[in-house]
Amino acid sequence: VGLIDQAMVDASGAWGGGQVYIGGDYQGDNPFMPNAWRSFVGDQVRIKANALVQGDGGRIIVWADDIARFSGSIEGKGAGEYGTGGFAEVSGKELLRFDGLADMRGPSGVGTLLLDPRDITITWGDEDEVGPDVSFDDGEIEQDFRIRHTTVQDNLNTSNVQLEATRNITVERDIIVDASSLSSLSLLAGNNINIESQIDLGGGNLYLTAGVFNCGDIGCYPGDDVRSVEITGILNTRGTIDIRAADDINLAERIGN
């Protein structure tokens, strides 16, 4: 399934955002909804499920059983005094390319963007690896999901970000947001988490969990390797820092100021 050019999908409603499903349901785990093999969303595409008067933002899912590529924008904004942001998931079961932006803000709370492929590397990147210049035929499923650190930072300005890998997560480049930010970053891996650079979330919460036992319908990595969190970069935030591992937690740098 593909959305290209200036296509727009709008499920916004006065009293709450609606639901948008492109390529499947949450983690492809709905037997009553067929899944796409590959999904593509171009860089000028807009997908909306906003509350317009009062209520919470909606639910937006972009899924593919093989490879998903997303370069567009998502809005799941809440409205009114008590409206909170919605929920969005963008994922390919085997491979994901994401260079988009999600706005999940609300007056009463920020919603969540979930990216959950097999492996995740947060890196500097270049156009060949993580840019929007792609098609249905690009990429091999043996590749890992590489996302620019600037893309993570931009999305933390407008949503909570949850990165969930069935195997490993590696942070190779600094993730530093504005000091006023309250958005949370969650890294959940079936196997290991390696933090090689600085993470500074302002006032947001940071959650690191290695050895996740349940990844929806996708079996978490069943190997015999040690499931650990290795931290060689500085972690800093005025919010909560929660680090958990099924086996080891190794700290080589300080946490907080």
Side-chain angles (χ1 to χ4, degrees):
V1 60
L3 299 177
I4 60 173
D5 298 329
Q6 296 179 346
M8 182 170 67
V9 178
D10 195 342
S12 300
W15 307 110
Q19 301 180 11
V20 177
Y21 299 98
I22 298 170
D25 203 341
Y26 175 71
Q27 295 189 331
D29 191 21
N30 185 343
F32 301 103
M33 184 179 296
N35 293 341
W37 180 57
R38 291 186 172 180
S39 294
F40 175 79
V41 177
D43 59 357
Q44 298 183 68
V45 174
R46 294 181 294 169
I47 303 172
K48 299 181 179 183
N50 298 320
L52 301 177
V53 178
Q54 179 75 44
D56 299 336
R59 181 180 179 90
I60 298 170
I61 307 293
V62 179
W63 173 266
D65 280 347
D66 187 50
I67 301 173
R69 296 178 175 80
F70 188 98
S71 299
S73 67
I74 288 172
E75 293 182 9
K77 296 184 288 187
E81 184 177 359
Y82 303 109
T84 62
F87 173 81
E89 178 195 22
V90 181
S91 189
K93 185 173 182 179
E94 299 297 337
L95 177 66
L96 174 64
R97 290 287 181 261
F98 183 88
D99 194 33
L101 182 65
D103 188 346
M104 313 303 285
R105 291 174 292 181
S108 191
V110 180
T112 298
L113 169 66
L114 169 65
L115 307 176
D116 50 340
R118 184 180 58 193
D119 293 283
I120 299 172
T121 301
I122 299 171
T123 187
W124 184 268
D126 58 44
E127 290 300 322
D128 291 333
E129 291 178 325
V130 295
D133 237 357
V134 296
S135 71
F136 281 112
D137 295 327
D138 291 336
E140 300 293 336
I141 61 173
E142 290 80 11
Q143 297 174 349
D144 295 335
F145 171 40
R146 300 172 64 84
I147 183 171
R148 289 188 182 97
H149 69 120
T150 53
T151 300
V152 176
Q153 291 171 170
D154 290 345
N155 279 278
L156 282 168
N157 289 327
T158 53
S159 63
N160 298 317
V161 175
Q162 181 169 322
L163 304 179
E164 184 174 323
T166 56
R167 297 198 304 198
N168 301 312
I169 297 177
T170 303
V171 180
E172 295 181 344
R173 292 287 178 171
D174 292 349
I175 301 171
I176 301 175
V177 301
D178 189 89
S180 63
S181 175
L182 297 176
S183 295
S184 67
L185 174 63
S186 301
L187 306 182
L188 297 88
N191 196 18
N192 293 325
I193 297 176
N194 298 301
I195 309 296
E196 302 171 0
S197 295
Q198 181 178 357
I199 299 178
D200 190 332
L201 298 182
N205 299 329
L206 174 63
Y207 303 97
L208 307 176
T209 304
V212 179
F213 293 105
N214 183 12
C215 299
D217 75 322
I218 306 170
C220 289
Y221 188 60
D224 296 327
D225 295 338
V226 174
R227 294 159 296 175
S228 64
V229 177
E230 303 280 342
I231 300 174
T232 56
I234 297 171
L235 306 182
N236 189 39
T237 179
R238 300 188 310 278
T240 298
I241 298 178
D242 185 310
I243 305 173
R244 307 183 186 199
D247 294 302
D248 298 334
I249 298 175
N250 298 312
L251 304 177
E253 279 289 354
R254 72 176 189 266
I255 295 179
N257 290 323

